[in-house]
Amino acid sequence: MTRLLHLDASPRPGRAGTHEHGSLSRRLSHHFIEQWKVARPDDPVTRRDLGARPPSLLTVDWIEAAFTPTERRSARMAAALAESDTLVDEVIAADVLVLGVPLYNFSYPAAFKAWIDQIVRLERTVSFDAENTEEPFVPLLADRPRHAVILASRGGHGQGAGGPMAHMNFLEDSVRTAMTFMGIENIHEVAIEYQEEGGERLQRSIRDALVEVERLVARLQSARDDCTAA
């Protein structure tokens, strides 16, 4: 059984192609889950809509609590970390993270950054070894193979790796940095471009991305089956 965590960061509530003014990144993430369920309907999916219900921003109380050893935390500190603990638990439990994230002003929306801040947690997803001066940070989510799937949408084009406008895109690299920092090494990316231009080039980009999602689902399910068999 594979456990999936499905996140959407777009503030647009609907899906492009189904709802007026719907989200392209939501269309990709929902397509991924729907395709996954075709072959593996019993795999559990935890759904969290960051766009509709953004995580809390970090506060001084959160920081104080997070950097206080567990055994010394007060009830007030535990309460300050309660939301973070829930979000971290969801990530730890997941085998595949499905991340629907639009590119806004060079990176991801603030709601997604708030989620990243809540889950990169000392002694939960990463530890610190002060005696190791070369590599003091130790990822804690490398205990088993996990995958993160970044499903993005972009208003412009040529912003993928190697593209002429890639220098203006800090989304995928930033997500990849956070994931690998915690120990999630298997990162996959699919993106739709040309949203602002619209027309046939947008429609072709959507079609290509949907097909790429389907192929990715097939590859990941095959890899998961091979891992289970081994």
Side-chain angles (χ1 to χ4, degrees), residues 58 62 65-68 70 73 77-78 80-89 115-128 138 140 181-182:
L58 303 193
W62 189 102
F67 287 91
T68 298
T70 304
R73 285 179 193 150
M77 290 179 175
L81 294 176
E83 179 184 10
S84 175
D85 284 333
T86 297
L87 298 176
V88 169
D89 288 344
W115 178 75
I116 292 289
D117 288 342
Q118 292 280 0
I119 65 168
V120 178
R121 276 273 304 278
L122 197 63
E123 303 309 329
R124 292 300 314 274
T125 55
V126 64
S127 66
F128 182 81
V138 180
L140 298 181
F181 185 70
M182 297 184 293

Side-chain angles (χ1 to χ4, degrees), residues 7-35:
L7 304 181
D8 278 314
S10 174
R12 296 173 183 257
R15 283 175 273 170
T18 302
H19 305 95
E20 187 176 8
H21 306 301
S23 161
L24 288 167
S25 60
R26 286 180 187 269
R27 182 170 181 178
L28 289 183
S29 70
H30 283 262
H31 190 63
F32 185 100
I33 297 298
E34 290 163 358
Q35 290 298 306

Side-chain angles (χ1 to χ4, degrees), residues 91-103:
V91 173
I92 292 174
D95 301 300
V96 179
L97 283 67
V98 182
L99 311 175
V101 191
L103 177 66

Side-chain angles (χ1 to χ4, degrees), residues 9-215:
S10 174
R12 296 173 183 257
R15 283 175 273 170
T18 302
H19 305 95
E20 187 176 8
H21 306 301
S23 161
L24 288 167
S25 60
R26 286 180 187 269
R27 182 170 181 178
L28 289 183
S29 70
H30 283 262
H31 190 63
F32 185 100
I33 297 298
E34 290 163 358
Q35 290 298 306
W36 189 281
K37 285 289 194 176
V38 168
R40 306 184 63 151
D42 295 328
D43 284 355
V45 178
T46 297
R47 173 90 172 97
R48 184 167 289 276
D49 193 333
L50 304 177
R53 293 176 293 280
S56 301
L57 300 180
L58 303 193
T59 64
V60 65
D61 289 339
W62 189 102
I63 296 169
E64 179 188 4
F67 287 91
T68 298
T70 304
E71 65 275 10
R72 290 170 46 195
R73 285 179 193 150
S74 65
R76 176 184 61 82
M77 290 179 175
L81 294 176
E83 179 184 10
S84 175
D85 284 333
T86 297
L87 298 176
V88 169
D89 288 344
E90 291 174 352
V91 173
I92 292 174
D95 301 300
V96 179
L97 283 67
V98 182
L99 311 175
V101 191
L103 177 66
Y104 283 3
N105 297 321
F106 320 115
S107 189
Y108 34 62
F112 190 83
K113 179 59 165 65
W115 178 75
I116 292 289
D117 288 342
Q118 292 280 0
I119 65 168
V120 178
R121 276 273 304 278
L122 197 63
E123 303 309 329
R124 292 300 314 274
T125 55
V126 64
S127 66
F128 182 81
D129 181 2
E131 296 183 359
N132 187 344
T133 58
E134 295 298 323
E135 296 183 8
F137 293 102
V138 180
L140 298 181
L141 300 188
D143 56 316
R144 69 174 193 271
R146 290 181 175 86
H147 296 259
V149 180
I150 308 169
L151 302 172
S153 57
R154 307 167 187 151
H157 63 278
Q159 294 175 305
M165 302 294 286
H167 63 285
M168 300 181 71
N169 176 6
F170 297 93
L171 191 158
E172 285 88 351
D173 282 350
S174 182
V175 177
R176 181 183 293 273
T177 298
M179 294 295 114
T180 56
F181 185 70
M182 297 184 293
I184 302 175
E185 297 284 348
N186 303 298
I187 314 294
H188 314 272
E189 304 171 9
V190 179
I192 293 172
E193 294 193 317
Y194 298 101
Q195 183 172 9
E196 291 182 1
E197 176 182 320
E200 176 53 31
R201 291 213 284 188
L202 170 61
Q203 295 307 313
R204 183 168 60 250
S205 184
I206 292 172
R207 291 193 298 268
D208 290 347
L210 293 174
V211 170
E212 193 172 349
V213 164
E214 294 165 9
R215 291 172 177 165

